[in-house]
Amino acid sequence: MRKKSLTPLGETEMEVLHHVWSLGRATVADVRDRIESERPVAYTTVMTVMRNLTEKGYLAVEKDGPQYVYAPRREPGDVKKSLLQDLLVKVFRGSPTALVQTLVADENLSDEERERIRALIDSMERP
């Protein structure tokens, strides 16, 4: 039996989504060029990932002459919120406190990052 992923999107899918969000509209070649600047990737891999993201409802696609152009169907904030909610339920049993506690207890979190988190929480408490 195949194990269920913690999130509905894989690492490469998120990488591709970030590039499409950044570009606004993109072809497979546009996204591949950006990924290629960091690591090698096959055109067909990017094409498959973009097709999968379209089928999952994260991207929209339209034909523009001989090529297909992809655009975000969901806003970054909506996707992040949804993914975080899934993680919260699956890993932290729905406890935001446990999630934040784990995050701020992380040894790799800088004092500056901790202070920004503290300031963010403080600002949310003020009317």
Side-chain angles (χ1 to χ4, degrees), residues 12-82:
T12 304
E13 288 175 319
M14 280 305 307
E15 180 181 25
V16 167
L17 258 183
H18 280 287
H19 287 301
V20 176
W21 284 328
S22 173
L23 292 164
R25 290 172 44 88
T27 63
V28 172
D30 294 333
V31 174
R32 181 178 180 257
D33 288 346
R34 284 188 159 211
I35 295 173
E36 277 276 326
S37 71
E38 299 172 16
R39 64 180 175 83
V41 64
Y43 181 92
T44 53
T45 299
V46 177
M47 182 176 63
T48 300
V49 169
M50 292 177 82
R51 185 180 321 118
N52 290 344
L53 287 169
T54 301
E55 290 172 3
K56 290 180 177 184
Y58 292 94
L59 295 179
V61 62
E62 65 182 41
K63 191 153 174 63
D64 185 11
Q67 59 189 357
Y68 290 94
V69 179
Y70 295 81
R73 183 173 272 165
R74 295 181 61 189
E75 294 295 321
D78 292 340
V79 173
K80 291 173 187 176
K81 185 176 180 179
S82 174

Side-chain angles (χ1 to χ4, degrees), residues 64-117:
D64 185 11
Q67 59 189 357
Y68 290 94
V69 179
Y70 295 81
R73 183 173 272 165
R74 295 181 61 189
E75 294 295 321
D78 292 340
V79 173
K80 291 173 187 176
K81 185 176 180 179
S82 174
L83 293 174
L84 187 56
Q85 187 63 37
D86 287 347
L87 188 67
L88 183 68
V89 169
K90 291 177 183 176
V91 176
F92 297 97
R93 296 190 171 196
S95 171
T97 304
L99 182 145
V100 172
Q101 183 177 22
T102 301
L103 179 65
V104 297
D106 185 348
E107 295 174 12
N108 295 324
L109 200 62
S110 71
D111 290 340
E112 180 183 329
E113 289 170 317
R114 272 195 189 85
E115 189 53 43
R116 288 199 329 237
I117 292 169

